[in-house]
Amino acid sequence: MRRLSARRNASDRPGRTVLTREVFWFVVIGVASTVAQALLYWVLRHWSPPVLANFASLLVVTVLNTEANRRLTFRGSAVPVLQAHLAAGGLFVLAYLVTSGAVLLFRHYRPAASPAAETLVLAPGFALVTVVRFTVLRMVVFRRRR
């Protein structure tokens, strides 16, 4: 009996539960953000150059993404709202450089590509940035103090 209860206690660690919840919400928010950003980029791209459409879509989605993650993924964190958004600003710069570089490189090799094709090229960049974003937000911005 003692071993069975010891095993249960080891698998019911609060840290594991928190990480599972954080990963779940981050994936949900990340997928929604990637779809929203791709759609917004595609719409904006019909009226503006790729770098500007990327900047605008990334800015809007980053603000919404950060707030959603602050409220759902990392709820209970003592990080003030302004501090969370300012810290995410550094991640915005990284995301903008990665995704703009990808779309500009694609446009260099495929100058006649459609906005839809550009959006398909950007989607993996958005996903890569999302993984980096989770890591930085969890380990630096919203890290739990022991």
Side-chain angles (χ1 to χ4, degrees):
M1 286 293 229
R2 202 177 230 168
R3 278 188 184 160
L4 182 58
S5 64
R7 281 188 194 150
R8 262 192 219 141
N9 290 339
S11 66
D12 293 340
R13 284 183 264 162
R16 183 174 290 173
T17 304
V18 168
L19 179 60
T20 301
R21 178 186 50 80
E22 288 176 352
V23 169
F24 170 78
W25 278 112
F26 202 85
V27 167
V28 169
I29 293 166
V31 168
S33 296
T34 299
V35 170
Q37 189 168 357
L39 288 172
L40 188 54
Y41 174 85
W42 179 72
V43 168
L44 292 172
R45 186 58 186 91
H46 288 87
W47 298 288
S48 62
V51 175
L52 186 58
N54 186 38
F55 182 84
S57 67
L58 189 60
L59 182 64
V60 169
V61 172
T62 296
V63 170
L64 296 173
N65 177 289
T66 300
E67 189 58 24
N69 279 309
R70 189 184 72 78
R71 291 176 183 227
L72 297 171
T73 306
F74 303 110
R75 64 178 164 230
S77 172
V79 175
V81 176
L82 185 59
Q83 183 180 347
H85 283 278
L86 288 175
L91 294 167
F92 169 82
V93 171
L94 173 67
Y96 181 69
L97 291 174
V98 168
T99 55
S100 289
V103 77
L104 289 174
L105 188 63
F106 179 70
R107 298 263 323 147
H108 176 74
Y109 288 106
R110 302 275 186 189
S114 70
E118 291 173 10
T119 304
L120 289 174
V121 166
L122 285 175
F126 298 152
L128 171 66
V129 168
T130 298
V131 172
V132 171
R133 189 173 166 74
F134 175 74
T135 305
V136 171
L137 287 176
R138 185 167 200 283
M139 295 178 75
V140 178
V141 179
F142 295 107
R143 101 176 151 229
R144 298 196 186 278
R145 310 252 190 255
R146 290 183 182 164

